[in-house]
Amino acid sequence: MNATLAYVLGIVVLLVGIGASVALHELGHMVPAKRFGVKVPEYFIGFGPRLWSFRRGETEYGVKAVWLGGYVRLLGMLPPARPGRPDRPGSAVAQAREEALAELGPEEQDRAFYRLSVPRKLVVMAGGILTNLVLGIVLLAVALGVVGQPGYTSSLASVSACVPADVDGARGSQAQQCTDADPASPAAAAGLEPGDEIVSWNGTAVSRWSQVQQAIADGGTQTATVVVERDGARTSLQVTPVRVARVVYTDDGTPSKDAAGQVVTQERPYVGIGPALGTIRVPAGEVTGQVVSAVGQTLKAIVTIPVGLYHAVAAGLGLEERSSQGLISLVGMGRIAGEVSSAGAETGAVPFSVRLYSMLSLLGSLNLALFAFNLVPLLPLDGGHVAGACWEGLRRTWARLRGRPDPGYVDTARMLPVGQVVFVLLVMMALVLIWVDIVAPL
């Protein structure tokens, strides 16, 4: 596939994934709201001009032009003003109350959202948040346990024809240059071929390259029985490694040097094979731990948004390196999706399974971010409505315990000015992160 086309396809897949995530998030609000009798006139994916819609019952379902979110409109989200505390005529709060209640007829007043009990309010507002959490967990679990993490497998990408004089001269590429004076490599002599999958090495089952390396090191130069799978059939081969001087590398991949500045070498077994990149499934017992860790890291990132934004801006100004664990905008995610989709598209150097893992992980992380972000207890985020319902429940419980009259619903409309400030800050943060993703991309 053409690399440009693959890049665009990755962005399209991301947009479709965002649309599906938003659709399910809003569905998590709408289903319980309808179940509890709240009137729901609209359910839309996207914002801006309407592209397509249909009506079923009292609800219009559809898609709008800008796929950067979505909404489900629940009537009566804001309660009427309390007696004795009227809104200033013409104020934004007064207009918002009027719009929230305008489509409810006299006989439908009990279908307003604010009339729900506290537990039902929590179910409706937490429904979308928990939907993203479940989606994130499922996507990451599938990526880890079904597709598998990228890694070097026991399949062979290359087989050296000889034991070159400088074994490590082609580290990172299997382009060793053989001469007539170089002996045949143990791999070539045994009949190993590129594409073979090593199933076991001298009786030890292997599936990862690190396991193959360890088996070779443990066996030394003793002849080993190697079982490979080739064209669907298993074959046993006899491989006798040879001992050669190998460069000792540090953890960061650079050659180790002694006090005199000379490169350090060590005698080790050599076979002459190179691994293929692929995916390795994470054992079921480890998937849970990795998913829990991902959720924890996402929550930490949300809690430390100001710090993350500072580091992102510093990276944009060239004052520090961009962190792969930091904040990122949809533009940055689109770039990553494009790079994931187009990596090795023309040469096949990056297997489809690796790209699939990366895309599922990206969408899983996006859903976890939506879950965590909506926990912030401020309007207009879902967490703001959850916090309002919790406060209402506490007030009513406290009044009941003290034998006082029910204080009634919490007037969340009074928090609209705060919500407008939060909205402006969110827009500003999004614009800043887009700028950083352009000037200092990951």
Side-chain angles (χ1 to χ4, degrees):
M1 180 184 292
N2 179 273
T4 302
L5 179 60
Y7 192 98
V8 173
L9 180 62
I11 296 176
V12 171
V13 170
L14 176 67
L15 291 176
V16 171
I18 290 174
S21 299
V22 170
L24 291 172
H25 173 98
E26 299 303 336
L27 203 63
H29 293 313
M30 186 183 73
V31 170
K34 280 180 168 285
R35 178 72 176 174
F36 298 149
V38 177
K39 189 170 183 179
V40 184
E42 290 184 346
Y43 170 91
F44 273 87
I45 305 305
F47 300 103
R50 181 185 282 101
L51 297 180
W52 170 81
S53 69
F54 69 94
R55 181 173 292 277
R56 178 169 295 175
E58 64 185 13
T59 306
E60 182 182 12
Y61 303 84
V63 177
K64 294 191 174 183
V66 184
W67 272 34
L68 294 178
Y71 68 93
V72 55
R73 192 152 69 91
L74 312 179
L75 296 187
M77 287 290 290
L78 300 178
R82 288 185 176 281
R85 295 190 63 187
D87 299 319
R88 182 169 55 83
S91 66
V93 173
Q95 292 177 1
R97 289 190 202 274
E98 183 179 352
E99 291 174 2
L101 301 168
E103 296 181 47
L104 288 171
E107 72 287 352
E108 296 179 317
Q109 293 302 306
D110 61 341
R111 299 189 64 191
F113 173 81
Y114 79 89
R115 292 286 193 96
L116 293 178
S117 65
V118 169
R120 290 188 170 188
K121 285 180 180 178
L122 290 174
V123 169
V124 172
M125 297 317 302
I129 302 174
L130 295 178
T131 296
N132 286 129
L133 174 62
V134 172
L135 274 174
I137 290 174
V138 169
L139 287 169
L140 289 180
V142 170
L144 292 165
V146 178
V147 179
Q149 286 181 313
Y152 287 106
T153 68
S154 62
S155 294
L156 303 183
S158 62
V159 174
S160 177
C162 67
V163 182
D166 183 7
V167 170
D168 291 305
R171 178 177 167 86
S173 70
Q174 294 297 322
Q176 294 101 328
Q177 296 299 314
C178 295
T179 68
D180 293 339
D182 295 327
S185 73
L192 286 168
E193 299 177 1
D196 286 350
E197 179 184 353
I198 300 176
V199 178
S200 67
W201 191 283
N202 217 24
T204 301
V206 295
S207 60
R208 308 184 183 200
W209 180 243
S210 59
Q211 294 172 330
V212 175
Q213 289 178 307
Q214 188 61 52
I216 294 173
D218 291 344
T221 57
Q222 296 295 318
T223 299
T225 299
V226 179
V227 178
V228 301
E229 186 167 310
R230 180 186 300 165
D231 299 328
R234 294 194 174 184
T235 304
S236 289
L237 303 173
Q238 300 298 309
V239 180
T240 305
V242 296
R243 191 169 292 276
V244 298
R246 305 297 303 269
V247 175
V248 176
Y249 290 89
T250 62
D251 291 339
D252 62 3
T254 59
S256 295
K257 295 184 179 181
D258 58 22
Q262 299 298 312
V263 173
V264 178
T265 61
Q266 184 182 50
E267 291 278 330
R268 295 203 302 272
Y270 174 79
V271 174
I273 52 178
L277 180 64
T279 50
I280 302 168
R281 293 180 182 177
V282 176
E286 298 177 16
V287 170
T288 300
Q290 292 199 33
V291 171
V292 169
S293 176
V295 174
Q297 290 176 0
T298 304
L299 290 172
K300 180 181 178 181
I302 296 300
V303 172
T304 59
I305 280 180
V307 176
L309 192 59
Y310 165 79
H311 286 297
V313 172
L317 296 174
L319 301 178
E320 61 181 63
E321 291 293 324
R322 184 81 184 274
S323 170
S324 60
Q325 303 299 318
L327 300 177
I328 187 172
S329 73
L330 285 177
V331 170
M333 295 191 74
R335 182 194 295 272
I336 293 174
E339 292 177 351
V340 163
S341 180
S342 61
E346 294 181 332
T347 64
V350 180
F352 173 75
S353 60
V354 173
R355 288 179 278 158
L356 178 60
Y357 167 85
S358 299
M359 189 62 72
L360 288 174
S361 297
L362 185 63
L363 291 173
S365 298
L366 171 67
N367 275 279
L368 291 185
L370 289 173
F371 154 72
F373 199 66
N374 274 295
L375 289 178
V376 177
L378 294 171
L379 294 176
L381 301 173
D382 292 343
H385 294 286
V386 170
C390 289
W391 178 237
E392 179 179 324
L394 289 172
R395 290 177 64 218
R396 286 181 160 174
T397 300
W398 182 247
R400 185 172 63 253
L401 292 175
R402 300 188 66 185
R404 294 185 175 182
D406 185 350
Y409 53 80
V410 169
D411 191 0
T412 51
R414 297 288 178 181
M415 294 299 294
L416 282 179
V418 175
Q420 291 171 339
V421 173
V422 172
F423 177 77
V424 171
L425 291 176
L426 291 176
V427 171
M428 291 176 61
M429 183 177 73
L431 293 175
V432 168
L433 290 177
I434 289 173
W435 165 73
V436 173
D437 281 328
I438 292 173
V439 300
L442 287 173

